[in-house]
Structures are given as C-alpha cells and as structure tokens.
Amino acid sequence: MDEVEYDVTKARQKTTKVGSFRINPDGTQERRKTPLAHSEVFLTDLLDQVCERMNHYQLEEDSVTREKKFKRFAPRKGDRMYKEFKKFHFYSDAYRPLKFACEAIIEEHEDEIFSLIAQEAHDLADKLCSEKAVH
C-alpha cells in the first residue's frame, strides 16, 4: 500500500482529460479535466503494476524486538541515487512471497482501494486494514 500511496500522492498534483470519444453533431467532444489520481485508467494500471515493485523491498529483523518486516531499500525514480542504482541488477527470490501477498490483497480488495483513493484518504494501509476489521 505504501507504493500505491506514493504513486497516488504524485498523481494528485496532475490532471488528465477524460470523457467521451464520441463527436457531437456540432463537431465538439465532451472532455473535462480530472485529477489523475481519480482516473480509472491510471488506477487500474497502477494496481496492475504495483506488485512488480516488491523486489525493491527486503526482509529486515529488528535487533531488539525480533519483529520481521519488509522495508524498501531501493531509491525511487527521481531520487539522486536512482540512476546509479539502476546500473545494478539484484536477483533474489526473497521478495516472491511479498509479491504474491501483494497480488492477493489487490485482487481481493480492489474496490475498497479505489474507494479510499476516491475519498482522498491518506495512510491507505491503516485505513484498509481498519475498515476490513470492522466488517
């Protein structure tokens, strides 16, 4: 959900034209600008591709609590180190369970994710989990 929220936050600053491709009798088209983050095409593409980025995470264990969690290690596109980072190729099967879990969550909760984004919610992971706990 951190990856989804990152992309949605960037997309909120942009707009896109949406509307019908039909041409009216007077030769005009009904098109309007809408925030990119509200575009169904943008959101569908995002959810289709986001799990591919799970290889940017590694499993870490807290030395005190022994709690294990996945943490992003890769710089994001636009970060100063990104160009150098892309020169290296990392291969590991360690992220595969995370990718599988990501795909399962997206598939099962796609409508709720769309709804939270439409409400311009922040902390998507917390909100998604708390809403599922209530239902």
PDB file of all heavy atoms in Angstrom, residues 12 35 43 55 63 67-68 75 94-95 97 110 112 118 125 127:
ATOM      1  N   ARG A  12      -1.918  13.130  -7.626  1.00  0.00           N
ATOM      2  CA  ARG A  12      -2.872  14.165  -7.187  1.00  0.00           C
ATOM      3  C   ARG A  12      -2.454  15.550  -7.663  1.00  0.00           C
ATOM      4  O   ARG A  12      -3.266  16.460  -7.716  1.00  0.00           O
ATOM      5  CB  ARG A  12      -2.998  14.149  -5.662  1.00  0.00           C
ATOM      6  CG  ARG A  12      -3.849  13.007  -5.160  1.00  0.00           C
ATOM      7  CD  ARG A  12      -4.103  13.081  -3.675  1.00  0.00           C
ATOM      8  NE  ARG A  12      -4.981  11.998  -3.274  1.00  0.00           N
ATOM      9  CZ  ARG A  12      -4.778  11.218  -2.229  1.00  0.00           C
ATOM     10  NH1 ARG A  12      -3.732  11.414  -1.446  1.00  0.00           N
ATOM     11  NH2 ARG A  12      -5.612  10.250  -1.947  1.00  0.00           N
ATOM     12  N   PRO A  35      -8.517  15.097 -11.741  1.00  0.00           N
ATOM     13  CA  PRO A  35      -7.239  14.713 -11.137  1.00  0.00           C
ATOM     14  C   PRO A  35      -6.826  13.328 -11.631  1.00  0.00           C
ATOM     15  O   PRO A  35      -7.654  12.410 -11.713  1.00  0.00           O
ATOM     16  CB  PRO A  35      -7.538  14.693  -9.635  1.00  0.00           C
ATOM     17  CG  PRO A  35      -8.726  15.594  -9.468  1.00  0.00           C
ATOM     18  CD  PRO A  35      -9.523  15.441 -10.737  1.00  0.00           C
ATOM     19  N   LEU A  43      -5.631   4.310 -12.178  1.00  0.00           N
ATOM     20  CA  LEU A  43      -5.725   3.428 -11.015  1.00  0.00           C
ATOM     21  C   LEU A  43      -5.634   1.959 -11.410  1.00  0.00           C
ATOM     22  O   LEU A  43      -4.971   1.165 -10.735  1.00  0.00           O
ATOM     23  CB  LEU A  43      -7.009   3.704 -10.245  1.00  0.00           C
ATOM     24  CG  LEU A  43      -7.077   5.072  -9.578  1.00  0.00           C
ATOM     25  CD1 LEU A  43      -8.462   5.302  -8.990  1.00  0.00           C
ATOM     26  CD2 LEU A  43      -6.013   5.213  -8.511  1.00  0.00           C
ATOM     27  N   ASN A  55      10.237  -6.291  -5.490  1.00  0.00           N
ATOM     28  CA  ASN A  55      11.660  -6.621  -5.435  1.00  0.00           C
ATOM     29  C   ASN A  55      12.503  -5.434  -4.967  1.00  0.00           C
ATOM     30  O   ASN A  55      13.713  -5.563  -4.812  1.00  0.00           O
ATOM     31  CB  ASN A  55      12.166  -7.147  -6.785  1.00  0.00           C
ATOM     32  CG  ASN A  55      12.078  -6.116  -7.883  1.00  0.00           C
ATOM     33  OD1 ASN A  55      11.367  -5.118  -7.774  1.00  0.00           O
ATOM     34  ND2 ASN A  55      12.798  -6.357  -8.957  1.00  0.00           N
ATOM     35  N   SER A  63      16.568  -5.757  15.664  1.00  0.00           N
ATOM     36  CA  SER A  63      17.524  -6.417  16.552  1.00  0.00           C
ATOM     37  C   SER A  63      17.028  -6.501  18.000  1.00  0.00           C
ATOM     38  O   SER A  63      17.441  -7.382  18.749  1.00  0.00           O
ATOM     39  CB  SER A  63      18.880  -5.699  16.511  1.00  0.00           C
ATOM     40  OG  SER A  63      18.726  -4.355  16.895  1.00  0.00           O
ATOM     41  N   GLU A  67      11.070  -8.442  15.561  1.00  0.00           N
ATOM     42  CA  GLU A  67       9.965  -8.328  14.621  1.00  0.00           C
ATOM     43  C   GLU A  67      10.527  -8.243  13.200  1.00  0.00           C
ATOM     44  O   GLU A  67      11.468  -7.499  12.938  1.00  0.00           O
ATOM     45  CB  GLU A  67       9.141  -7.073  14.924  1.00  0.00           C
ATOM     46  CG  GLU A  67       8.005  -6.857  13.956  1.00  0.00           C
ATOM     47  CD  GLU A  67       7.272  -5.549  14.188  1.00  0.00           C
ATOM     48  OE1 GLU A  67       7.813  -4.642  14.848  1.00  0.00           O
ATOM     49  OE2 GLU A  67       6.144  -5.434  13.694  1.00  0.00           O
ATOM     50  N   LYS A  68       9.943  -9.027  12.298  1.00  0.00           N
ATOM     51  CA  LYS A  68      10.378  -9.009  10.902  1.00  0.00           C
ATOM     52  C   LYS A  68       9.380  -8.216  10.082  1.00  0.00           C
ATOM     53  O   LYS A  68       8.167  -8.332  10.278  1.00  0.00           O
ATOM     54  CB  LYS A  68      10.458 -10.437  10.351  1.00  0.00           C
ATOM     55  CG  LYS A  68      11.560 -11.260  10.970  1.00  0.00           C
ATOM     56  CD  LYS A  68      11.601 -12.631  10.355  1.00  0.00           C
ATOM     57  CE  LYS A  68      12.691 -13.462  11.010  1.00  0.00           C
ATOM     58  NZ  LYS A  68      12.758 -14.814  10.441  1.00  0.00           N
ATOM     59  N   PRO A  75      16.066   3.244  -4.091  1.00  0.00           N
ATOM     60  CA  PRO A  75      15.659   4.647  -4.243  1.00  0.00           C
ATOM     61  C   PRO A  75      14.522   4.736  -5.258  1.00  0.00           C
ATOM     62  O   PRO A  75      14.357   3.865  -6.115  1.00  0.00           O
ATOM     63  CB  PRO A  75      16.920   5.340  -4.772  1.00  0.00           C
ATOM     64  CG  PRO A  75      17.718   4.253  -5.409  1.00  0.00           C
ATOM     65  CD  PRO A  75      17.389   2.991  -4.678  1.00  0.00           C
ATOM     66  N   ALA A  94      13.634 -13.848  -2.406  1.00  0.00           N
ATOM     67  CA  ALA A  94      13.125 -13.499  -1.082  1.00  0.00           C
ATOM     68  C   ALA A  94      11.869 -12.631  -1.146  1.00  0.00           C
ATOM     69  O   ALA A  94      11.027 -12.697  -0.261  1.00  0.00           O
ATOM     70  CB  ALA A  94      14.198 -12.787  -0.268  1.00  0.00           C
ATOM     71  N   TYR A  95      11.732 -11.840  -2.192  1.00  0.00           N
ATOM     72  CA  TYR A  95      10.572 -10.944  -2.286  1.00  0.00           C
ATOM     73  C   TYR A  95       9.341 -11.641  -2.854  1.00  0.00           C
ATOM     74  O   TYR A  95       8.239 -11.107  -2.791  1.00  0.00           O
ATOM     75  CB  TYR A  95      10.904  -9.713  -3.133  1.00  0.00           C
ATOM     76  CG  TYR A  95      10.891  -9.959  -4.619  1.00  0.00           C
ATOM     77  CD1 TYR A  95       9.740  -9.710  -5.367  1.00  0.00           C
ATOM     78  CD2 TYR A  95      12.002 -10.465  -5.290  1.00  0.00           C
ATOM     79  CE1 TYR A  95       9.701  -9.945  -6.719  1.00  0.00           C
ATOM     80  CE2 TYR A  95      11.968 -10.712  -6.642  1.00  0.00           C
ATOM     81  CZ  TYR A  95      10.820 -10.448  -7.351  1.00  0.00           C
ATOM     82  OH  TYR A  95      10.786 -10.692  -8.697  1.00  0.00           O
ATOM     83  N   PRO A  97       7.288 -14.067  -1.864  1.00  0.00           N
ATOM     84  CA  PRO A  97       6.096 -14.146  -1.006  1.00  0.00           C
ATOM     85  C   PRO A  97       5.418 -12.783  -0.834  1.00  0.00           C
ATOM     86  O   PRO A  97       4.188 -12.708  -0.759  1.00  0.00           O
ATOM     87  CB  PRO A  97       6.635 -14.660   0.336  1.00  0.00           C
ATOM     88  CG  PRO A  97       7.923 -15.326   0.004  1.00  0.00           C
ATOM     89  CD  PRO A  97       8.471 -14.585  -1.184  1.00  0.00           C
ATOM     90  N   GLU A 110      -9.640  -4.662  -4.328  1.00  0.00           N
ATOM     91  CA  GLU A 110      -9.519  -3.618  -5.343  1.00  0.00           C
ATOM     92  C   GLU A 110     -10.592  -2.540  -5.195  1.00  0.00           C
ATOM     93  O   GLU A 110     -10.292  -1.345  -5.256  1.00  0.00           O
ATOM     94  CB  GLU A 110      -9.580  -4.247  -6.739  1.00  0.00           C
ATOM     95  CG  GLU A 110      -9.361  -3.255  -7.856  1.00  0.00           C
ATOM     96  CD  GLU A 110      -9.265  -3.943  -9.209  1.00  0.00           C
ATOM     97  OE1 GLU A 110      -9.637  -5.117  -9.335  1.00  0.00           O
ATOM     98  OE2 GLU A 110      -8.813  -3.266 -10.141  1.00  0.00           O
ATOM     99  N   GLU A 112     -12.296  -1.605  -2.511  1.00  0.00           N
ATOM    100  CA  GLU A 112     -12.052  -0.799  -1.314  1.00  0.00           C
ATOM    101  C   GLU A 112     -10.889   0.164  -1.529  1.00  0.00           C
ATOM    102  O   GLU A 112     -10.931   1.316  -1.091  1.00  0.00           O
ATOM    103  CB  GLU A 112     -11.749  -1.678  -0.094  1.00  0.00           C
ATOM    104  CG  GLU A 112     -12.936  -2.492   0.393  1.00  0.00           C
ATOM    105  CD  GLU A 112     -12.919  -3.924  -0.147  1.00  0.00           C
ATOM    106  OE1 GLU A 112     -12.396  -4.167  -1.259  1.00  0.00           O
ATOM    107  OE2 GLU A 112     -13.452  -4.804   0.547  1.00  0.00           O
ATOM    108  N   ALA A 118     -10.529   7.476  -3.944  1.00  0.00           N
ATOM    109  CA  ALA A 118     -11.544   8.458  -4.349  1.00  0.00           C
ATOM    110  C   ALA A 118     -11.884   9.404  -3.203  1.00  0.00           C
ATOM    111  O   ALA A 118     -12.176  10.580  -3.419  1.00  0.00           O
ATOM    112  CB  ALA A 118     -12.803   7.747  -4.836  1.00  0.00           C
ATOM    113  N   ALA A 125      -2.882   1.944   3.948  1.00  0.00           N
ATOM    114  CA  ALA A 125      -2.746   0.616   4.570  1.00  0.00           C
ATOM    115  C   ALA A 125      -3.522   0.566   5.884  1.00  0.00           C
ATOM    116  O   ALA A 125      -4.268  -0.388   6.128  1.00  0.00           O
ATOM    117  CB  ALA A 125      -1.277   0.288   4.801  1.00  0.00           C
ATOM    118  N   LYS A 127      -6.037   2.487   6.869  1.00  0.00           N
ATOM    119  CA  LYS A 127      -7.473   2.611   6.632  1.00  0.00           C
ATOM    120  C   LYS A 127      -8.057   1.322   6.053  1.00  0.00           C
ATOM    121  O   LYS A 127      -9.129   0.888   6.457  1.00  0.00           O
ATOM    122  CB  LYS A 127      -7.744   3.789   5.705  1.00  0.00           C
ATOM    123  CG  LYS A 127      -7.446   5.122   6.367  1.00  0.00           C
ATOM    124  CD  LYS A 127      -8.456   6.155   6.000  1.00  0.00           C
ATOM    125  CE  LYS A 127      -8.370   7.399   6.821  1.00  0.00           C
ATOM    126  NZ  LYS A 127      -7.103   8.089   6.827  1.00  0.00           N
TER     127      LYS A 127
END
